[in-house]
Structure formats: C-alpha cells, structure tokens
Amino acid sequence: MWYIVFSIFTTTLTIFLIDKRKINALIPAYFLSSTVGYTLDMIFDVTLKYYYYVEAPIPNGVLSFLMETLIGPPFGMIFIQYLPKNRKSYILYLIVWTLLLTVIEAIFHIKGLLIYNKWNYLFSIITYVFTLTALTVQNKYLS
C-alpha cells in the first residue's frame, strides 16, 4: 500500500514540477533512470538477494518493476529539469539529491518496506551518485 501511495505522490509531484515544454529532453532521463534502477534491482534484489522490498501480495520482481517505473524515474526527470549549469553548483546539487534519495530509501527501510541482507546505505549512496551522474552525462550528450 505504501508503494502505491508513494508512487501516486511521486507522479503528482513530477506533473507539477516539470516543464511540459521540455518533455522531449526529460523522457530520456525517465528511461535511463528506469533502466538503471530496474537492472540494479534485478542484480542486487532478485538475483543476489542483497535487499528486497516487502509489500504482500505483490511478488518482489513485480514490485521492483513498479518501483523503477513509478518512483525512481520521475525523480530522474525532476533532477534533470533543475540541473544547474555551474560545476560548483552541480556538485552541491548532486550531494543534495543523493542525500534526498538516501533519506527516502531510509524511510522505506525504517518502515520495514525495504529489508537489507547484504546491503547498506553506503552502497545506496554510491548507486545514487552513479545514476545521477549517468543522467547528467546523458543529458549533456543529448542537449
């Protein structure tokens, strides 16, 4: 239930925060966020069992798909929408976004909706920095 509520919240937030005139530039961010997130979930969640999502009666693989379709990618679009041009500002922006995404994950973890087996917040931080940097590179390449 919490995943559905958060998915609706994330999607609504995205609708209000993105510039619809720039949607062509934001769609690639959506797809890259989804692809990276789903790939990492398939490797670390489904295959290696480093963590898993809890939300009965949805199977874990299906829940991963929903998470990486409705929650992560809209954040990727918002990240690209407000991307600063200045390098110094970008580094601060990247840090703030990494912390924001880690806090969101921590809430899921603390609520018992995300269980860690061999995973920790440091791995998540590395993953978020990698994903956000990949989004930035993709955006610069496509711009």
Side-chain angles (χ1 to χ4, degrees):
M1 176 67 172
W2 283 105
Y3 292 111
I4 294 169
V5 169
F6 198 69
S7 296
I8 292 168
F9 169 76
T10 305
T11 304
T12 304
L13 186 66
T14 304
I15 290 169
F16 287 109
L17 290 179
I18 64 167
D19 183 353
K20 279 60 163 185
R21 295 170 295 180
K22 295 181 180 179
I23 197 73
N24 288 340
L26 300 175
I27 292 295
Y30 176 90
F31 285 117
L32 182 61
S33 295
S34 183
T35 301
V36 169
Y38 190 66
T39 301
L40 293 173
D41 273 356
M42 290 302 100
I43 293 168
F44 293 110
D45 172 12
V46 176
T47 305
L48 298 175
K49 310 279 189 232
Y50 279 23
Y51 59 85
Y52 62 93
Y53 301 108
V54 178
E55 180 83 17
I58 302 172
N60 206 31
V62 174
L63 189 54
S64 291
F65 177 75
L66 292 174
M67 289 284 295
E68 301 308 340
T69 304
L70 300 173
I71 295 179
F75 280 119
M77 293 172 74
I78 296 169
F79 174 80
I80 290 299
Q81 169 74 37
Y82 298 100
L83 200 61
K85 305 278 186 218
N86 179 317
R87 181 176 173 89
K88 194 178 210 180
S89 298
Y90 172 76
I91 292 170
L92 178 61
Y93 187 70
L94 181 68
I95 291 168
V96 168
W97 267 93
T98 300
L99 291 174
L100 171 70
L101 295 171
T102 304
V103 166
I104 292 169
E105 180 176 315
I107 292 168
F108 278 83
H109 183 237
I110 291 165
K111 289 281 189 190
L113 300 169
L114 176 61
I115 308 298
Y116 292 161
N117 285 328
K118 300 174 188 173
W119 196 258
N120 61 52
Y121 293 119
L122 178 62
F123 295 154
S124 295
I125 289 169
I126 292 167
T127 301
Y128 293 134
V129 168
F130 166 77
T131 304
L132 295 172
T133 303
L135 285 171
T136 304
V137 170
Q138 177 194 44
N139 185 62
K140 287 184 188 238
Y141 176 75
L142 294 177
S143 298

PDB file of all heavy atoms in Angstrom, residues 22 49 81 88 104 108 127:
ATOM      1  N   LYS A  22       9.638  20.981 -22.072  1.00  0.00           N
ATOM      2  CA  LYS A  22      10.940  20.309 -22.130  1.00  0.00           C
ATOM      3  C   LYS A  22      10.809  18.782 -22.030  1.00  0.00           C
ATOM      4  O   LYS A  22      11.779  18.097 -21.769  1.00  0.00           O
ATOM      5  CB  LYS A  22      11.832  20.818 -20.996  1.00  0.00           C
ATOM      6  CG  LYS A  22      12.180  22.273 -21.109  1.00  0.00           C
ATOM      7  CD  LYS A  22      13.074  22.692 -19.961  1.00  0.00           C
ATOM      8  CE  LYS A  22      13.435  24.154 -20.059  1.00  0.00           C
ATOM      9  NZ  LYS A  22      14.291  24.578 -18.944  1.00  0.00           N
ATOM     10  N   LYS A  49      19.951 -11.188  -3.789  1.00  0.00           N
ATOM     11  CA  LYS A  49      19.203 -11.087  -2.526  1.00  0.00           C
ATOM     12  C   LYS A  49      19.908 -10.202  -1.490  1.00  0.00           C
ATOM     13  O   LYS A  49      19.894 -10.484  -0.312  1.00  0.00           O
ATOM     14  CB  LYS A  49      18.932 -12.470  -1.922  1.00  0.00           C
ATOM     15  CG  LYS A  49      18.329 -13.467  -2.877  1.00  0.00           C
ATOM     16  CD  LYS A  49      16.858 -13.259  -2.994  1.00  0.00           C
ATOM     17  CE  LYS A  49      16.233 -14.401  -3.777  1.00  0.00           C
ATOM     18  NZ  LYS A  49      15.419 -14.015  -4.860  1.00  0.00           N
ATOM     19  N   GLN A  81      15.446  18.374 -14.829  1.00  0.00           N
ATOM     20  CA  GLN A  81      14.710  19.626 -15.037  1.00  0.00           C
ATOM     21  C   GLN A  81      15.433  20.824 -14.412  1.00  0.00           C
ATOM     22  O   GLN A  81      15.487  21.895 -14.991  1.00  0.00           O
ATOM     23  CB  GLN A  81      13.306  19.506 -14.429  1.00  0.00           C
ATOM     24  CG  GLN A  81      12.528  20.799 -14.348  1.00  0.00           C
ATOM     25  CD  GLN A  81      12.002  21.280 -15.674  1.00  0.00           C
ATOM     26  OE1 GLN A  81      11.604  20.477 -16.494  1.00  0.00           O
ATOM     27  NE2 GLN A  81      12.014  22.571 -15.892  1.00  0.00           N
ATOM     28  N   LYS A  88      30.365  24.043  -9.767  1.00  0.00           N
ATOM     29  CA  LYS A  88      30.329  24.090  -8.303  1.00  0.00           C
ATOM     30  C   LYS A  88      28.893  23.864  -7.806  1.00  0.00           C
ATOM     31  O   LYS A  88      28.664  23.110  -6.861  1.00  0.00           O
ATOM     32  CB  LYS A  88      30.865  25.429  -7.821  1.00  0.00           C
ATOM     33  CG  LYS A  88      31.194  25.493  -6.369  1.00  0.00           C
ATOM     34  CD  LYS A  88      31.761  26.869  -6.032  1.00  0.00           C
ATOM     35  CE  LYS A  88      32.726  26.783  -4.894  1.00  0.00           C
ATOM     36  NZ  LYS A  88      33.298  28.081  -4.551  1.00  0.00           N
ATOM     37  N   ILE A 104      14.857   9.093   1.513  1.00  0.00           N
ATOM     38  CA  ILE A 104      13.635   8.398   1.076  1.00  0.00           C
ATOM     39  C   ILE A 104      13.799   6.898   1.244  1.00  0.00           C
ATOM     40  O   ILE A 104      12.915   6.212   1.763  1.00  0.00           O
ATOM     41  CB  ILE A 104      13.288   8.766  -0.385  1.00  0.00           C
ATOM     42  CG1 ILE A 104      12.858  10.232  -0.463  1.00  0.00           C
ATOM     43  CG2 ILE A 104      12.203   7.838  -0.939  1.00  0.00           C
ATOM     44  CD1 ILE A 104      12.750  10.774  -1.878  1.00  0.00           C
ATOM     45  N   PHE A 108      11.793   4.026   3.792  1.00  0.00           N
ATOM     46  CA  PHE A 108      11.289   2.698   3.404  1.00  0.00           C
ATOM     47  C   PHE A 108      11.933   1.610   4.258  1.00  0.00           C
ATOM     48  O   PHE A 108      11.273   0.659   4.677  1.00  0.00           O
ATOM     49  CB  PHE A 108      11.549   2.432   1.919  1.00  0.00           C
ATOM     50  CG  PHE A 108      10.537   3.046   1.009  1.00  0.00           C
ATOM     51  CD1 PHE A 108      10.612   4.365   0.621  1.00  0.00           C
ATOM     52  CD2 PHE A 108       9.479   2.287   0.521  1.00  0.00           C
ATOM     53  CE1 PHE A 108       9.675   4.932  -0.208  1.00  0.00           C
ATOM     54  CE2 PHE A 108       8.529   2.831  -0.316  1.00  0.00           C
ATOM     55  CZ  PHE A 108       8.626   4.172  -0.686  1.00  0.00           C
ATOM     56  N   THR A 127      25.326   4.078  -5.529  1.00  0.00           N
ATOM     57  CA  THR A 127      24.375   3.831  -6.614  1.00  0.00           C
ATOM     58  C   THR A 127      23.709   5.122  -7.067  1.00  0.00           C
ATOM     59  O   THR A 127      23.579   5.373  -8.266  1.00  0.00           O
ATOM     60  CB  THR A 127      23.314   2.807  -6.158  1.00  0.00           C
ATOM     61  OG1 THR A 127      23.972   1.597  -5.799  1.00  0.00           O
ATOM     62  CG2 THR A 127      22.311   2.536  -7.250  1.00  0.00           C
TER      63      THR A 127
END
